[in-house]
Every structure is written in structure tokens, then in C-alpha cells.
């Protein structure tokens, strides 16, 4: 991480620091709009996924897209990994609820149909389905030149879970927090990242920390799919889990209104430091926007944590849950919703 940014008045020619809101995405406004939609449509059971009672099981549904990561793909005309991202953003939400993803449908909206682009996206969806262990069961392509500029891809993932397998969703004081590393920037915060890295670079420029790849390729690293975490978490007395997406580390508060003390988070990949330096973004904004190296977390009793860590390839205990004000303490920051 970089040092705290200097005061703009004292920074001479230093470029003004970016925030997510200033690049066009206000997290607080987005949350308020989502709550308004839910309030108008009616409450439903579940947080990361909507749960439908079908007897002795829940049918779970999650829907999401990949956001402005599409614009990076467009800039270098490479959509080969976008389908993986679309699958990941949906499957990971089901996994955070304790639900096994089983099937996926996509919705591709385009300004102008293009066979090569569609083939690339389809190949990514197939690879994503393989990684998530789900069946691709069709989808829809809509040509809407009056509505869409370029294209947009979204999808819906369905899953099933016995009622006693779904995570309760409430972390408890005394719980350990187990974390899994991310693969990079994943599929949120790209509006801020794009604005930052294109201040002084083109997408096709070499990525300075790893010049064998371009800046675009670093940004397009596919979102990790956390299918392997479900079995060990179900074997444990898992109280809650969270997929670290939009809102960054404040996502942990979706596991309950307690205090999350993070002491050993995974190190951020080089792409985060690059975005931070190029955009002069402060540490708090980075942690409120991005996963910063840790893509999935779970809260469970300390007695179960070691077994989960041993059963997972790269899991480790990254902190614990405390009584106290709802907030996330990480790297000297206090993050609140």
C-alpha cells in the first residue's frame, strides 16, 4: 500500500485523488436505490441469493453482470474471459449463502450482433461453468441498437440447498474469520480503476509490475470462482459468509452488525497498488471499493476454523469477530457502511 496521500493544496502538480463517486459510481446512492427497489418489490428471504422454499430444500437464485469491465475488454477487443466473470459474480453469491450452484442462464444485449464476440463470450461462459460445476441451460441474445451501446452481459444462477445447509447469515462475537485470496481486481470497481490507469497510460501499454502482460490484461484477470469452499464450510458450523465485491471490505457487515477485526488479510496483488498510485486514491477508498487481495470470507467458531483452513488450498484465519460498533478494522482503517 502507498503512504497516505498528501493534501492537494500542498502537493504541487500532483493530480487530484480519485474517488469512486467522482468517477460516476456513488456506493451510498447505489445502496439507497437498491433498498428502494426492494422496498417497492417486497422483501424476500436471503441476502446474497433469493431463497424459495420448495419443501425440504431451498431453490436459490442470484443475478449479476460484470459492469464496466466490459469496456476494458472492448478497448482491446478481447472478450474471452468476460463469461468467466459473469459466471463467477453469480455463483459466488450463491456460495456465500451456503448454496450449491447448479444451473446458469445468460442474457446478452448488443447494439450490433457480432459472431466472433459472441463466440468469445460463449467460450468464457463454458469455462466459467466448468469452474463452478454448473450446467449452462441456454440464454437470450437481444439486439437493441436504440438502447444498448456496445454490449452488456448478465446472467442468473440457480442453486439448491437442504434447509439445514444454508448458512444462518449472522456472525457471532468470538467467531474466527477465515479468508480466501482473490485472483485480482475481480469485477467491481472498474469505473474507478479505468479512470485511474488511463490518466497516463493506454490499455495496451505494458503493465509496469509485470511487463509481460498489458494493463488491460491485468485488469481482465478473471474473477475467482470459490466452488471449493462450500464443502468444508458446510462440514463446519459456519455462521455466515461474504463474497467481497462492490463496497469492498464493507461487505463483511452483510454478515451481521458486529465488529470485524482483520489482522492477517491477503496481500493486495500488484494491480491494486498500480491503480492506487495512478489514481492517487487513498487507502480507505481502495478498501471501500476493491477486495484488496481477499475475495471470500466466512465467520465460524474458532474450533472449526483450523479444519476449514486445512481442507482448503489457500485459506487462512484472517481475523475475528468482536462485540462492538458495526465496522471493519483493517490495516489501520475503520470502515463503516
Amino acid at each position: 500500500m502507498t503512504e497516505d496521500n498528501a493534501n492537494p493544496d500542498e502537493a504541487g502538480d500532483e493530480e487530484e485523488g480519485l474517488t469512486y463517486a467522482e468517477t460516476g459510481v456513488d456506493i451510498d446512492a447505489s445502496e439507497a436505490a437498491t433498498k428502494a427497489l426492494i422496498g417497492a418489490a417486497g422483501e424476500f428471504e436471503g441476502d446474497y441469493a433469493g431463497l424459495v422454499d420448495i419443501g425440504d430444500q431451498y431453490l436459490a437464485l442470484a443475478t449479476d453482470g460484470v459492469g464496466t469491465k466490459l469496456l476494458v475488454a472492448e478497448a482491446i477487443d478481447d472478450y474471452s474471459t468476460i463469461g468467466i466473470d459473469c459466471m463467477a459474480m453469480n455463483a459466488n453469491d450463491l456460495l456465500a449463502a451456503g448454496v450449491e450452484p447448479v444451473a446458469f442462464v445468460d442474457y446478452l444485449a448488443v447494439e450490433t450482433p457480432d459472431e466472433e464476440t459472441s463466440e468469445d463470450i460463449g467460450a468464457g461462459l463454458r469455462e466459467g461453468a466448468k469452474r463452478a460445476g454448473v450446467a449452462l441451460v441456454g440464454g437470450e441474445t437481444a439486439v437493441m441498437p436504440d438502447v444498448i451501446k456496445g454490449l452488456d452481459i448478465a446472467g442468473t444462477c440457480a442453486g439448491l440447498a437442504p434447509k439445514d445447509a444454508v448458512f444462518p447469515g449472522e456472525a457471532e462475537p468470538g467467531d474466527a474469520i477465515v479468508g480466501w485470496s482473490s485472483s485480482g481486481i475481480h469485477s467491481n470497481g472498474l469505473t474507478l480503476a479505468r479512470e485511474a490507469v488511463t490518466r497516463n497510460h493506454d490499455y495496451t501499454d505494458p503493465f509496469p509490475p509485470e511487463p509481460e502482460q498489458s494493463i488491460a490484461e491485468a485488469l481482465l484477470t478473471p474473477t475467482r470462482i470459490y466452488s471449493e469452499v462450500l464443502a468444508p464450510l458446510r462440514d463446519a458450523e459456519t455462521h455466515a459468509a461474504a463474497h467481497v465485491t462492490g463496497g469492498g471490505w464493507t461487505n463483511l457487515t452483510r454478515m451481521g452488525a458486529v465488529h470485524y477485526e482483520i489482522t492477517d488479510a491477503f496481500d493486495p496483488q500488484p494491480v491494486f497498488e498500480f491503480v492506487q498510485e495512478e489514481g492517487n486514491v487513498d487507502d480507505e477508498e481502495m478498501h471501500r471499493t476493491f477486495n484488496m487481495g481477499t475475495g471470500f470470507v466466512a465467520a465460524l467458531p474458532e474450533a472449526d476454523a483450523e479444519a476449514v483452513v486445512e481442507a482448503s488450498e489457500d485459506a487462512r484465519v484472517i481475523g475475528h469477530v468482536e462485540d462492538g460498533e458495526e465496522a471493519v478494522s483493517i490495516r489501520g482503517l475503520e470502515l463503516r457502511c
Side-chain angles (χ1 to χ4, degrees):
M1 299 299 298
T2 62
E3 297 296 326
D4 290 341
N5 295 308
N7 186 309
D9 294 335
E10 300 171 356
D13 294 332
E14 185 178 6
E15 291 186 272
E16 182 181 355
L18 286 175
T19 67
Y20 205 9
E22 288 168 349
T23 60
V25 181
D26 187 322
I27 294 173
D28 293 335
S30 178
E31 289 289 339
T34 300
K35 289 178 181 178
L37 175 61
I38 292 172
E43 293 290 336
F44 59 89
E45 189 167 0
D47 185 5
Y48 281 95
L51 302 178
V52 181
D53 189 333
I54 56 171
D56 61 349
Q57 294 190 93
Y58 283 119
L59 168 66
L61 298 167
T63 189
D64 206 346
V66 300
T68 63
K69 198 168 189 176
L70 282 166
L71 297 179
V72 183
E74 180 184 46
I76 63 168
D77 193 27
D78 182 359
Y79 294 89
S80 60
T81 59
I82 288 298
I84 302 174
D85 288 300
C86 191
M87 183 69 66
M89 296 302 286
N90 287 280
N92 288 341
D93 277 355
L94 292 185
L95 294 166
V99 174
E100 180 181 6
V102 297
F104 184 89
V105 294
D106 65 274
Y107 180 79
L108 175 64
V110 300
E111 179 182 13
T112 304
D114 179 82
E115 185 176 345
E116 184 176 349
T117 298
S118 296
E119 185 175 348
D120 278 353
I121 291 173
L125 287 170
R126 286 195 302 275
E127 176 60 26
K130 179 181 176 181
R131 297 183 187 187
V134 307
L136 285 174
V137 292
E140 173 71 13
T141 298
V143 180
M144 301 188 294
D146 292 334
V147 177
I148 295 293
K149 180 180 180 182
L151 64 88
D152 193 20
I153 176 76
T156 297
C157 197
L160 291 170
K163 288 184 175 177
D164 60 359
V166 173
F167 303 147
E170 292 292 330
E172 299 179 5
D175 280 350
I177 302 172
V178 175
W180 287 261
S181 64
S182 68
S183 55
I185 210 161
H186 285 187
S187 295
N188 64 279
L190 268 296
T191 299
L192 175 57
R194 290 185 302 103
E195 177 71 20
V197 303
T198 56
R199 278 182 163 187
N200 301 301
H201 299 277
D202 293 326
Y203 286 123
T204 53
D205 289 347
F207 178 50
E210 298 169 359
E212 66 276 8
Q213 64 177 331
S214 68
I215 290 171
E217 288 170 332
L219 293 176
L220 288 172
T221 300
T223 305
R224 178 177 172 181
I225 297 175
Y226 294 93
S227 298
E228 75 277 9
V229 311
L230 186 59
L233 288 178
R234 280 184 169 180
D235 287 342
E237 190 189 331
T238 301
H239 294 146
H243 176 206
V244 186
T245 57
W249 279 86
T250 63
N251 270 276
L252 270 65
T253 62
R254 297 174 71 174
M255 297 193 298
V258 288
H259 190 90
Y260 302 88
E261 187 71 29
I262 306 302
T263 55
D264 192 25
F266 288 88
D267 291 336
Q269 289 87 354
V271 67
F272 294 109
E273 184 174 358
F274 181 64
V275 167
Q276 182 168 20
E277 290 180 349
E278 294 299 315
N280 191 24
V281 185
D282 69 36
D283 285 351
E284 181 171 350
E285 189 72 10
M286 291 295 294
H287 284 80
R288 284 179 57 86
T289 304
F290 301 109
N291 66 67
M292 299 303 288
T294 304
F296 198 93
V297 299
L300 64 163
E302 286 188 3
D304 290 349
E306 192 57 40
V308 169
V309 169
E310 289 179 358
S312 304
E313 184 175 342
D314 73 334
R316 71 182 187 218
V317 175
I318 63 168
H320 58 275
V321 179
E322 301 176 343
D323 269 322
E325 183 181 1
E326 180 182 16
V328 180
S329 297
I330 179 171
R331 299 181 176 127
L333 305 171
E334 287 287 316
L335 307 177
R336 295 176 176 80
C337 285

